[in-house]
Amino acid sequence: MRWFLVKFNKKYILFFIVTFCLVFCYTYFVSAVYSDEIWNYGVSYNISLGMVPYRDFNLVTTPLYPMLASIFIRIFGHHLYSFHIFNCLILSFMICVVYYKIRKKSILLIPLILL
């Protein structure tokens, strides 16, 4: 967990912001909305309304990701774009961690991660 204790200098913050903008523009404007995305949003939306997974609605995956997304949806509004922002934050954080580990080689992984 040494990467988590790194000092957040301007380079990492700028890289995170650029990565977030790139990922958000790609996921919101370029890629199409598929059934998995709507399904995940629906599960997170149901949890944010107070429903209990496995009792009030059927859930195939583990509930950690929808529970985290439901907190974000509850705070920032019950809209699909707030779910997009949550996904972009998680993906940008993952890319920044990879960037910290392998430096400039991680830029080659961004197109692969977006696919």
Side-chain angles (χ1 to χ4, degrees):
M1 298 283 289
R2 196 179 93 210
W3 60 268
F4 190 70
L5 300 174
V6 69
K7 293 180 183 176
F8 291 106
N9 57 12
K10 293 177 184 176
K11 181 173 75 170
Y12 290 115
I13 294 172
L14 182 66
F15 184 74
F16 180 80
I17 292 171
V18 168
T19 305
F20 177 79
C21 292
L22 176 74
V23 170
F24 182 75
C25 288
Y26 177 77
T27 59
Y28 197 71
F29 297 114
V30 176
S31 68
V33 177
Y34 292 108
S35 61
D36 283 344
E37 184 178 12
I38 294 172
W39 189 268
N40 287 331
Y41 170 71
V43 169
S44 301
Y45 178 75
N46 286 340
I47 293 173
S48 72
L49 292 179
M51 294 183 183
V52 178
Y54 306 116
R55 188 185 72 188
D56 296 331
F57 59 93
N58 197 9
L59 182 65
V60 177
T61 60
T62 58
L64 178 64
Y65 173 73
M67 285 184 183
L68 292 175
S70 69
I71 294 169
F72 196 84
I73 288 172
R74 181 92 171 171
I75 293 171
F76 294 106
H78 297 274
H79 305 286
L80 187 60
Y81 64 82
S82 62
F83 188 69
H84 276 279
I85 292 171
F86 175 74
N87 287 336
C88 293
L89 284 173
I90 289 178
L91 192 58
S92 299
F93 179 72
M94 289 170 40
I95 291 171
C96 286
V97 169
V98 170
Y99 178 75
Y100 178 74
K101 291 289 188 182
I102 61 174
R103 301 284 180 216
K104 295 190 184 222
K105 294 178 187 176
S106 67
I107 295 173
L108 298 173
L109 293 175
I110 293 173
L112 294 174
I113 291 173
L114 288 176
L115 290 176

